[in-house]
Amino acid sequence: SRGAAVTVAFGAGKAGQVQASIGRLHVGDVNLNAMMVRNGWALAYRRYSTDYVDAEGIAEKAKAGLWRGEFEKPWVWRRK
């Protein structure tokens, strides 16, 4: 919303994953990361965090965003 504080927080992923930088973006009290995953616009990247797995399940069940069709998850595609 207009005039809301925007907060960006960076932190490492799970212990031992030094190269991972995880960003969390909030506008006021709204966690934009969670909102994007919940709406099917992004995926929960479990390699670094499980914070958004529940939100991803909600999107998948509702067939929201990416979940409306078939797609290849980015981490699978990158291995090819």
Side-chain angles (χ1 to χ4, degrees), residues 8 26 28 33 36-37 40-41 44 53 56 58 72-73:
V8 180
H26 289 81
N33 302 54
M36 289 177 60
V37 174
W41 304 333
V53 172
E56 184 180 274
I58 291 167
E72 189 167 42
K73 294 179 179 174

Side-chain angles (χ1 to χ4, degrees), residues 24-49:
R24 289 175 174 78
L25 180 62
H26 289 81
V27 175
D29 291 336
V30 178
N31 178 330
L32 293 182
N33 302 54
M35 184 186 81
M36 289 177 60
V37 174
R38 191 174 47 255
N39 285 298
W41 304 333
L43 301 176
Y45 197 17
R46 291 160 178 81
R47 180 175 177 186
Y48 299 116
S49 172

Side-chain angles (χ1 to χ4, degrees), residues 43 60 63-73:
L43 301 176
E60 184 176 10
K63 297 193 182 303
L66 294 165
W67 298 102
R68 287 183 185 156
E70 293 183 20
F71 66 95
E72 189 167 42
K73 294 179 179 174

